[in-house]
Amino acid sequence: MEIIETLNSKIDKLIHDYEKLRLENQSLLQELDKIKNDNDELVRNNQDMFLRIDSTLTLIKAQKGE
């Protein structure tokens, strides 16, 4: 009987640990999604900045008559 109680206790602990890790995993996945969204926004901002720089350089060249 004692073996069964010990096993049940270990199983309960494993279930608890599993649930804790599952919740932590969900939290990390949400954080990863947020970081991906932030990164995508930064990439878009960089692309916009490169386009503005390119447009400005083109305008300057046109004004100089090159």
Side-chain angles (χ1 to χ4, degrees):
M1 196 67 170
E2 187 177 324
I3 293 174
I4 292 174
E5 288 175 8
T6 302
L7 287 174
N8 280 338
S9 175
K10 287 182 179 183
I11 289 171
D12 287 344
K13 183 183 180 326
L14 287 172
I15 289 171
H16 178 265
D17 290 347
Y18 168 78
E19 286 300 318
K20 183 178 173 185
L21 288 171
R22 189 179 63 78
L23 291 173
E24 183 179 353
N25 186 50
Q26 285 177 341
S27 174
L28 290 171
L29 286 171
Q30 289 175 348
E31 187 176 340
L32 180 61
D33 274 346
K34 183 188 178 309
I35 290 171
K36 284 179 180 179
N37 289 338
D38 290 347
N39 185 62
D40 289 346
E41 184 177 346
L42 289 171
V43 167
R44 284 190 302 276
N45 288 343
N46 284 339
Q47 289 171 342
D48 288 346
M49 187 60 66
F50 283 129
L51 287 173
R52 289 181 192 146
I53 290 170
D54 188 53
S55 296
T56 302
L57 291 174
T58 302
L59 181 62
I60 290 170
K61 284 181 183 178
Q63 287 176 346
K64 288 184 177 181
E66 294 180 3

